[in-house]
Amino acid sequence: MKENIVPILCKLEKIYPPAFFDVMVHLAVHLSDEALLRGLVQYGWMYPIERRLGTFKRFIRNKAGPEGCIAEAYTAYECMTQCSTYFSDIINRFTRSETDHLTHWLLYVSSWY
Amino acid sequence: MVLEDMSWDGMSLDGNQQAPLHEEGQAEDELDDGARGLQGLIQDFRNAASHGFGGNVYKELMEEAKRELYPGCTEESRLSFIIKLLHIKVYNRIPTTGFDAFLELLSSTLKNVPGLPKSYNEMKALLRKLGFGYESIHACKYDCALFWKDHEHDDHCPVCGFTRWKVNKEGKKKVPHKVLRYFPIIPRLQRIFMSKQRAQYARWHKEKRVPVENVMTHPADGEAWKDFDETFKSFAHDARSLRLAIATDGFHPFGQMINSYSIWPVIVVPYNFPPWMCMDQSNYMLALLIPGKKSPGKDFHVYMQPLIADMIQLWMGVKTYDAVEGKDFSLRAAILWGINDYPALGTMSGRTTKGYFACVHCDENPCSECLRNKIAFICHRRFLPSDHEWRRNGSFDGHLEKRERPSKFSADEVVARLDEICYVPGKNPDMPKSIKRRRNEDEPVWHMKVSLYDLPYWSHLKLQYNLDVMHIEKNICENILATLLNIPNKTKDTINARLDLEDRGIRKELHLLVDTDSSSSKPRACYVLKPEDKKKFLQFVSNIRFPDGYASNISRCVNMEGAGSMQGLKTHDCHILLQRILPAGIRGLVHKDVYEVLAELGRFFRQLCSKTLKIDALKK
């Protein structure tokens, strides 16, 4: 892969005009090097982080103080997540049904194969 | 340990005082927290408190837990009932007013249940005891400094002298301009080791993980992790040492289109856990909440100070109680890398991500070139081996390619360069211009030495920041699609792009055709679909059916009206499109060369994003 991506980009250069190659296209060259250092891509991409930001966004109820809303809601959420690990008889993120877990797992870790 | 004083618990009140849970020998098997209930929760608090952690919360909890919900209730104690009730409120995001109304109805109707809480506020006290809360740290309006440590009681910013308060009137409560919320990281990491189950999982990466030769399934298989272990042996020796990632990004809190306000949360992710726990949302700890209204920009690291101070302490070691061994140990933690999108990477690293030096891996002789109205990153033949035949082939840009691949600075070089940079925090417009305008003209690549360099290990890291594959895939896919479908304002095949080709004297067949009335037209290029083929392609995309949970409904983005286009693609749609749909969809519609290279590109990303990476395949 490390040596595959260079010919791919060279071939693209032969087809597309130079204006096509902004920095994002160029960065593809370095991805395999980074994967060797880091391990799986799934541990270093923004998908789960963006999902988390979405959760924070939903915490906001009072638009005059968005930060305060997030801080209060987050501390409550964090505390209840912690407590809920001790109760298997309530529905929480650890005791959800098998299919939920599967989707969840697919979303963050799997590669869509 | 026999906890006689805990026999109040609902479960053991059935007359059997020697409930099996209370025996010491069983404790090893009782690893599943889910089965332990309230008793397990309080037991963990109590054990930690006996080693001086977490205060005396457990005593209050124990008092509380002795109270019955109603006389003779055996199913639930009042405490566990309240915890479950709170859990429902928090997880379903029930508003406080609605929840209070519900409680009021319950307590007015069920008169024989005296233990029912009256309002949310009453229960909130419990939440305060069980959780950690957060610290509010005031900040200067212009992001110059935090009112923290030595400056905690100042009324004016120590850097620019601007007042700390928005409202500062006699007899009224003082209101600060900006408040940074810091969620102390040390107690949060310490709590991992309070429960046996979690503490066991924190050792997973070293004790339970089965490394397979040549296959990567966890960051611990990566070279960066191994290299870190090699360099810092004393840190790696203890499986409990936590390895963290630090992630940040800005977001607009008031809806998609309203970008007048930007909040920057900083999230910390421990990597010690097995994959299914590691990437779970509950494993993501919010560490900082940097307030708006404007994004902090270059002064981002002013706000990082509290976190960095704690991280330095965590690197030295913090005394922590370990539930598995039942004794104290010195907890250490290190930040392995940062996760950011590309603009945020610039903020986080203090390195430019714009202009000629935009690529973070190409410090010297970057492959950027100036075009008519933009900067392009071309000449990837420089990355080929020096004797490769394509380097001598003129059909790329009409030239031979003799240049080496761009080089990266070594860690020492970077630190040496960073030390020479002067940086003044803050954006106060009234600051003397001599201070404000002091630019680093001879240093085009770096803006500042960021606070992460205060961590003793930071400059030794092999991979400091991750390139975000998600956004790279999205941008590449959008570039290709917009050009393929010739979407106005988005396509890269513009008049200027054709003029660039003329300037370089390459690909004569694509040069603009000048008509008799001095207007010009673009000849059709092989990478743009013909109008009838475009319809076929869009038809194909809108007819695809995916397996459940595989992708969103991409056909919603297809607009068949008029010339036809695709709009509103989400990042994950691009992920699927680039890897799977695009190569299949354009086959037969474009020239074979175009199809083949796009298929290869899709295959590259598919391999890169697989859940088990083969090391030899990566190096190939």
Side-chain angles (χ1 to χ4, degrees), chain B residues 223-236:
Chain B
E223 272 173 40
W225 183 304
K226 285 177 188 160
D227 183 75
F228 190 84
D229 280 5
E230 199 61 32
T231 321
F232 303 102
K233 288 207 169 73
S234 64
F235 179 86

Side-chain angles (χ1 to χ4, degrees), chain B residues 481-539:
Chain B
L481 259 184
T483 313
L484 203 64
L485 301 177
N486 202 9
I487 301 172
N489 300 330
K490 285 190 178 159
T491 174
K492 298 283 165 184
D493 184 31
T494 54
I495 300 278
N496 273 322
R498 299 293 177 99
L499 289 175
D500 290 330
L501 291 175
E502 267 176 49
D503 292 348
R504 284 154 186 270
I506 48 172
R507 270 168 275 165
K508 296 231 162 43
E509 71 279 8
L510 296 180
H511 292 185
L512 292 177
L513 298 172
V514 184
D515 298 336
T516 44
D517 55 346
S518 80
S519 66
S520 56
S521 62
K522 279 191 291 179
R524 203 187 67 79
C526 62
Y527 46 79
V528 180
L529 288 175
K530 287 181 209 140
E532 65 272 20
D533 289 344
K534 194 167 152 186
K535 290 271 175 190
K536 277 187 209 162
F537 175 74
L538 291 175
Q539 196 70 48

Side-chain angles (χ1 to χ4, degrees), chain B residues 33 192 195-202 273 277 283 285:
Chain B
D33 279 339
I192 292 177
S195 132
K196 264 187 193 163
Q197 193 180 14
R198 288 270 283 168
Q200 280 287 11
Y201 277 126
F273 299 104
M277 289 175 76
N283 193 33
M285 297 175 199

